[in-house]
Amino acid sequence: MGNTHESKLRRFIGAQFGLTGRIAESMSAERHRRLWIHASSLGEYQIARPVLAELGRRMPDLAIVLTFFSPTGFDTLGGKTKRECGADYVFALPLDTPGNARRMLEAVAPEAAVFMVSELWPYYMRELKRRSIPVMQLSTLLYDGCSALKWWGGSRRNMLRHLDVVVVHDDVTADRLENIGCKRVLKTGDPLFDNAAAIAATEWNDPALEKFSESAGGRVLVAGSVHDRNDVEIIGCAARKLPQMKIIAVPHEITEKLIGEIERAMPGNCVRLSEVSETTDMNDVGTLIVDSVGQLSRLYRYGRYAYVGGGFTRLLHSVIEPIAYGLPTSYGPRIERKATPRVMMELGIGRVVNNGDELARWIETLETDDDQRCRVHEDALKFVDLNSGSASVIAKQIEDLINKGNRPEYEQRE
């Protein structure tokens, strides 16, 4: 796995040589109206994806240029069509130097730029300002300890102040932006809600997963994006303490090492999804490991509870996907970089767990109180519904920036 990552990184670094020239050659000579969107990673692109889809409906003639500062993002989406990824062009971002910023913007000639989450590059920002190109940052989060709140973070604060629109999803970040002198704040729901709600509403089924869930009477914990040993130990412990509960385990990376760790940690009969079918007798199967990619956001529909991995690192994975099905959702303690998990805890639809004992106790509490479990289910669905629709709001703001070149000074709170 490490070799694969290093190989991707080497290809990404190698691609930097002559990159601005290749971008210029790739751009169509036709003078389409253009929008530049930059995401650090594939995860940040997923936030932008519903906005890109909405922009495609609103502005079908708009050419969207998507850049990544991540080998995985570029490798995954490079060569995809606009129908597949929402963008007309996908490039690696040239390194942030004065010359690269000048040549990149000469080639792309965007009418507006959108940076995702925490991506702000000084030379690109300076060149965008020099060319009077309006800039938005989407899904900004100022968490405790971030550089913009440190005494030495003056450069980051200045870049935030010069943004034309800052889109946030929580009041804490909005207040902190106000405190550092940024007034152009729009608070909306996270566009990931739109994506998750659409997937949950789409018909989909897997006969083997359906039969597995039925064999448990619906008492299934879906452990999504199992990331590391901490996640493995938690679900293994919870499985031992909840013998009536079956587990669907979905590794974040499909590797023999991680799958093997899950198999050794789980009690009872543990099989892989690739080894079973709808004719398999599931009665004695306690854990089903999904050893293929791309199904997680859909298969939460077969669960009653969810545990989302990555919460013992800075990379907690999507907690929105399971609550789109109304699942009470648990995760590890590292939530400082995410607004949604904190709100979920306040609403009682999410729970931080530090070990398998805590996860088992929470599930036992809900299992013994049907009324409470139903309330959590309904509150989760209401939370998703309340936060859906933000992609349209954000796309409208981008459309206004492109059409009017305006720099609205406002502060909107929902």
Side-chain angles (χ1 to χ4, degrees), residues 194-361:
D194 294 50
N195 205 38
I199 292 171
T202 302
E203 287 190 17
W204 181 87
N205 80 299
D206 183 291
L209 287 168
E210 188 168 346
K211 187 172 183 180
F212 178 76
S213 179
E214 289 173 352
S215 73
R219 295 186 299 275
V220 175
L221 167 68
V222 179
S225 296
V226 175
H227 187 90
D228 56 19
R229 187 174 297 276
N230 291 297
D231 296 332
V232 173
E233 290 177 354
I234 281 181
I235 63 172
C237 176
R240 288 189 294 274
K241 291 181 174 295
L242 299 168
Q244 78 283 7
M245 190 73 52
K246 292 196 173 190
I247 314 293
I248 296 175
V250 187
H252 174 57
E253 296 283 354
I254 308 300
T255 65
E256 281 300 320
K257 180 177 182 295
L258 183 52
I259 291 175
E261 288 180 0
I262 296 171
E263 290 173 333
R264 289 188 292 273
M266 306 307 292
N269 191 13
C270 183
V271 301
R272 304 182 186 191
L273 183 59
S274 63
E275 300 171 342
V276 301
S277 70
E278 58 185 309
T279 63
T280 302
D281 184 356
M282 299 289 190
N283 290 318
D284 294 328
V285 178
T287 300
L288 192 59
I289 299 176
V290 178
D291 53 344
S292 58
V293 298
Q295 302 182 70
L296 178 58
S297 60
R298 295 175 175 83
L299 62 80
Y300 278 117
R301 69 191 67 206
Y302 293 118
R304 182 178 288 183
Y305 306 97
Y307 172 81
V308 175
F312 288 85
T313 74
R314 298 165 58 195
L315 303 172
L316 173 65
H317 299 285
S318 175
V319 297
I320 297 174
E321 290 174 349
I323 62 170
Y325 298 94
L327 273 59
T329 299
S330 55
Y331 33 85
R334 294 289 304 276
I335 62 173
E336 67 271 14
R337 289 174 174 263
K338 305 265 187 174
T340 300
R342 293 199 301 269
V343 178
M344 288 169 57
M345 289 179 63
E346 294 168 3
L347 295 174
I349 62 178
R351 175 67 63 95
V352 163
V353 295
N354 294 284
N355 51 61
D357 288 333
E358 292 181 3
L359 175 57
R361 283 197 297 271

Side-chain angles (χ1 to χ4, degrees), residues 11-170:
R11 288 200 306 273
F12 185 78
I13 294 172
Q16 286 287 335
F17 295 99
L19 181 55
T20 53
R22 292 197 301 275
I23 289 174
E25 292 172 2
S26 300
M27 297 299 298
S28 169
E30 296 180 33
R31 298 307 300 166
H32 294 291
R33 308 184 77 184
R34 293 173 182 166
L35 171 70
W36 172 31
I37 294 186
H38 174 65
S40 171
S41 65
L42 201 56
E44 292 185 359
Y45 158 75
Q46 294 297 342
I47 302 172
R49 187 172 187 170
V51 177
L52 299 185
E54 183 65 25
L55 283 168
R57 288 188 286 271
R58 286 177 171 273
M59 306 180 73
D61 295 330
L62 179 68
I64 295 176
V65 179
L66 174 65
T67 59
F68 284 101
F69 204 74
S70 154
T72 301
F74 178 68
D75 281 357
T76 302
L77 295 184
K80 297 285 187 182
T81 66
K82 185 167 187 176
R83 182 179 181 85
E84 292 172 311
C85 71
D88 298 86
Y89 305 92
V90 180
F91 301 118
L93 181 71
L95 295 174
D96 185 37
T97 68
N100 279 348
R102 184 181 67 256
R103 289 187 292 270
M104 166 76 175
L105 290 173
E106 283 174 356
V108 175
E111 296 187 38
V114 178
F115 289 86
M116 298 301 301
V117 187
S118 59
E119 289 291 282
L120 290 176
W121 295 93
Y123 291 116
Y124 281 108
M125 289 292 292
R126 186 180 304 172
E127 190 65 20
L128 286 162
K129 183 180 178 182
R130 189 181 74 80
R131 295 168 183 262
S132 298
I133 297 171
V135 184
M136 170 190 287
Q137 189 174 58
L138 175 54
S139 294
T140 302
L141 178 65
L142 298 189
Y143 55 90
D144 292 340
C146 70
S147 61
L149 302 180
K150 298 290 188 179
W151 65 266
W152 42 263
S155 174
R156 171 69 57 168
R157 290 192 291 275
N158 283 335
M159 286 191 286
L160 286 167
R161 292 186 190 110
H162 284 101
L163 289 168
D164 297 288
V165 183
V166 188
V167 179
V168 304
H169 309 313
D170 68 308

